[in-house]
Amino acid sequence: MGVYGITERDHAEIQRRRNDFIALLMYLTERKLFFSANHIFSGLTGHREAEDFHWFASYVPAFETRNGQMRAEANESAARLASAGGKNRDCRERLSHDRRSGPDVYGSARGANCG
């Protein structure tokens, strides 16, 4: 997952919840942090069950659809999934509404390319 515009405190809390998907989703939602599912069709992130894609579609606001390290087919599949789930609004537009300002921002969304 990619989480954007976070503080150091957010980073620590995200790391604490990284192995509990429900607790992580609750934290991200409570804090109104923008996040995306990355590398959805990559073998590097492990085997996916059909239920995993349902979770992504139901609870994750965006999918990474362009990653230069992924095969073109993986990016194309992610783009189709994003489009089918109505998640093809540009991330940078979303981030411009969600981004916090100030010296404690811990992260950047400059490279965000998701569906």
Side-chain angles (χ1 to χ4, degrees):
M1 298 201 40
V3 184
Y4 304 94
I6 64 174
T7 65
E8 286 188 52
R9 177 180 165 254
D10 291 327
H11 185 267
E13 290 299 320
I14 289 166
Q15 291 304 309
R16 197 167 69 77
R17 291 168 169 82
R18 72 182 299 152
N19 293 318
D20 184 345
F21 188 62
I22 301 300
L24 177 59
L25 285 175
M26 290 174 63
Y27 179 79
L28 297 175
T29 302
E30 177 184 300
R31 297 278 297 145
K32 296 183 174 123
L33 294 169
F34 180 73
F35 59 100
S36 65
N38 297 345
H39 317 302
I40 294 174
F41 291 99
S42 170
L44 298 174
T45 56
H47 177 75
R48 302 260 193 256
E49 300 291 335
E51 186 175 329
D52 296 334
F53 295 101
H54 174 73
W55 276 94
F56 294 150
S58 297
Y59 298 104
V60 179
F63 300 151
E64 176 187 62
T65 60
R66 287 178 278 173
N67 182 314
Q69 299 299 311
M70 297 290 109
R71 295 183 348 260
E73 296 84 12
N75 286 335
E76 291 164 8
S77 293
R80 283 193 299 277
L81 183 63
S83 182
K87 299 179 186 297
N88 43 349
R89 191 170 139 207
D90 189 87
C91 285
R92 287 167 285 209
E93 178 185 333
R94 290 184 196 187
L95 289 166
S96 69
H97 295 293
D98 297 339
R99 184 176 295 147
R100 290 190 280 259
S101 60
D104 61 344
V105 171
Y106 187 83
S108 168
R110 281 202 182 106
N113 291 313
C114 37

